[in-house]
Amino acid sequence: MQQIKDQQLVKNFSYINGSWHSSASNIEVTNPATGEIIAKVSNAGIEETQLAVQAAKNAFKAWSAKSANERAKLMRNWFDLMMAHQDDLGRILTLEQGKPLAEAKGEIAYGAAFLEWFSEEAKRVYGDTIPAPSQDKRIVVIKQPIGVVAAITPWNFPNAMIARKAAAALAAGCTFVVRPATQTPLSALAMAELAERAGIPAGVFNVVVGDDARGIGEVLTQHPDIAKFTFTGSTAVGKSLISQCATTVKKVSMELGGNAPFIVFDDADIDAAVAGAMVSKYRNAGQTCVCTNRIFVQSGVLAKFTEKFVTAVKALQVGNGVDEGVTIGPMISASAVADVAKLVDDSIAAGAKVVLGGKQGQGENFYQPTILTDVTNTMPIAFNEIFGPVSPIIAFDNEDEVLAMANATEFGLAAYFYARDIGRIWRVAEGLEYGMVGINEGLISNAAAPFGGVKQSGNGREGSKYGLDDYLEIKYLCMGGLDK
Ligand code: SIN
């Protein structure tokens, strides 16, 4: 951590009600590329979580009463500070998460973009008037912040997943408590330091770092003073959190697992398809919910696509994300590597062929960038989220067949396809049962777009003009007695 120029960004305590809280024990934060312990962070628990909820409740009145312009100014300050410290924040992120430095700095800009976007959207929380059924009445609709928001966020985007939720919540006038993943708390705490410097008042943004996932999770999903709960993570965990939220009927938004198909049709620009597959598959070593999980290639271009794709994947430079030239880092843990290795080994046993990689890499947290061919849509690798740098290629003959295969999953987050025929583009875009579709594009995430899934990939949308709705209540005002 000595590499960080502004050492005040390196924090070891939870941030509650505008101050840093120490606890009796510590959590060790490890660099996944080297196994080195890079920091020890105080291990907060149920008590600190309750304090944070109380602080957010107390801060709500004043924060929600600020004008949209006032909130926007403070959020804009926060955005400016994040961008001014992009290098340090990116380095902290690489050290705790593993992704290459350029990608980590990209994540900081991506996270900051939500602060910028929602600072502007804060001014556009419009209401409505509705023609009433009788002359003596008027119907007015206003939107109000929902209240205290609780969030649990993952290790794969330690900055952007917090920023995406907090920015919308704060812009709407809500206050916020987040439990970041214990593997990557340093990025969250650095964000809190910058929130304070930006002038975000005490209690509005709170970060609780603790390894009692169940205890902290129960407070955040069941506390009566929390109005809304938002989560990014696996579908299995999301389902159990949703059921916990039912006890207090919280508004819930969930960004859960995916099983993204990436379809290459005969009429596709193959070079563009290869570039799209590289970014949608190997970004963050394959550890994103929107990562390509299955590559479907039409028979006529199978050989050509595979050959070019193998060449591109071979050119990836695997290593420690802080090293010059590295384009793909480690996975988050040895157990994540073991899960990926099992899916690959099971596929091979079922008849898949390894054309590249297929083995653990140069350290216990590394897995080689891998390509499998002769995969079928019924192999376990095709219906489990891989969350690692492995590309299974499945051949297909026609549009109906590939649409049926692409949709044969309980997930519905992101899908991608490459084609040129305009009729096909509309048919396939409309036929894919997914919340987001990249058409001749492999990188679809940005602050202006509504990020979210259908089916068991979750509900709610983050980013875009729709992103505020999840943090607002609609109130209907009926004015009567207006007759003379
Ligand atoms: C995720 O993996 O959950 C988010 C990916 C993204 O925002 O692009």
Side-chain angles (χ1 to χ4, degrees), residues 110 156-157 161 164 232 255 283 287-290 445 451:
Y110 177 43
N156 62 344
F157 287 85
M161 294 305 98
R164 186 152 82 186
T232 295
E255 200 258 274
R283 171 176 174 232
Q287 304 171 107
T288 89
C289 301
V290 290
S445 309
F451 191 103

Side-chain angles (χ1 to χ4, degrees), residues 140-477:
V140 178
V141 174
I142 61 169
K143 291 188 182 171
Q144 293 181 305
I146 187 162
V148 175
V149 173
I152 296 183
T153 53
W155 49 262
N156 62 344
F157 287 85
N159 177 296
M161 294 305 98
I162 297 176
R164 186 152 82 186
K165 295 176 192 302
L170 267 56
C174 300
T175 53
F176 193 79
V177 179
V178 59
R179 175 189 182 257
T182 46
Q183 295 95 326
T184 56
L186 301 174
S187 295
L189 297 173
M191 285 176 76
E193 165 68 16
L194 294 179
E196 184 169 296
R197 289 188 203 173
I200 304 287
V204 170
F205 179 75
N206 304 276
V207 182
V208 179
V209 179
D211 66 4
D212 179 5
R214 178 181 291 271
I216 296 174
E218 280 176 2
V219 177
L220 297 182
T221 52
Q222 296 179 14
H223 199 298
D225 290 335
I226 293 173
K228 191 222 155 85
F229 179 77
T230 169
F231 172 71
T232 295
S234 74
T235 295
V237 175
K239 284 180 185 175
S240 121
L241 294 170
I242 291 171
S243 69
Q244 290 177 34
C245 286
T247 58
T248 45
V249 195
K250 292 194 198 316
K251 187 160 172 167
V252 164
S253 56
M254 294 277 148
E255 200 258 274
L256 307 176
N259 181 1
F262 184 101
I263 307 169
V264 186
F265 286 99
D266 276 347
D267 60 331
D269 173 337
I270 298 301
D271 290 326
V274 168
M278 290 303 294
V279 67
S280 71
K281 175 72 246 184
Y282 292 101
R283 171 176 174 232
N284 200 15
Q287 304 171 107
T288 89
C289 301
V290 290
C291 269
T292 286
N293 213 54
R294 299 167 289 163
I295 302 184
F296 296 100
V297 189
Q298 202 160 7
S299 331
V301 291
L302 181 62
K304 189 172 167 197
F305 174 84
T306 308
E307 189 196 328
K308 288 184 176 231
F309 189 49
V310 169
T311 305
V313 177
K314 265 189 189 159
L316 288 170
Q317 294 294 314
V318 185
N320 185 337
V322 292
D323 291 343
E324 196 65 35
V326 165
T327 51
I328 181 165
M331 296 186 61
I332 192 67
S333 64
S335 75
V337 170
D339 290 347
V340 167
K342 178 159 177 18
L343 281 176
V344 171
D345 294 347
D346 289 352
S347 304
I348 295 166
K353 294 193 177 54
V354 180
V355 289
L356 194 69
K359 291 201 167 45
Q360 192 182 319
Q362 65 221 45
E364 64 164 9
N365 291 349
F366 286 87
Y367 196 83
Q368 295 175 338
T370 294
I371 299 176
L372 304 175
T373 56
D374 296 63
V375 176
T376 68
N377 208 36
T378 53
M379 289 180 188
I381 201 161
F383 54 84
N384 285 287
E385 192 173 23
I386 303 168
F387 234 63
V390 178
S391 296
I393 297 184
I394 302 171
F396 73 94
D397 289 317
N398 64 59
E399 201 178 297
D400 290 342
E401 177 197 9
V402 77
L403 261 182
M405 287 198 285
N407 289 336
T409 166
E410 73 265 27
F411 296 110
L413 192 58
Y416 310 86
F417 70 93
Y418 279 68
R420 283 284 158 207
D421 178 83
I422 190 69
R424 167 177 283 162
I425 286 176
W426 276 105
R427 284 192 303 275
V428 175
E430 289 174 357
L432 285 165
E433 295 162 2
Y434 290 82
M436 299 174 281
V437 180
I439 304 165
N440 297 319
E441 180 57 59
L443 187 60
I444 55 176
S445 309
N446 62 74
F451 191 103
V454 299
K455 294 159 90 175
Q456 294 187 31
S457 287
N459 51 40
R461 291 293 178 270
E462 297 188 325
S464 82
K465 67 171 181 173
Y466 305 103
L468 275 183
D469 292 345
D470 274 331
Y471 299 91
L472 293 165
E473 288 287 19
I474 287 178
K475 186 181 278 178
Y476 149 51
L477 310 178

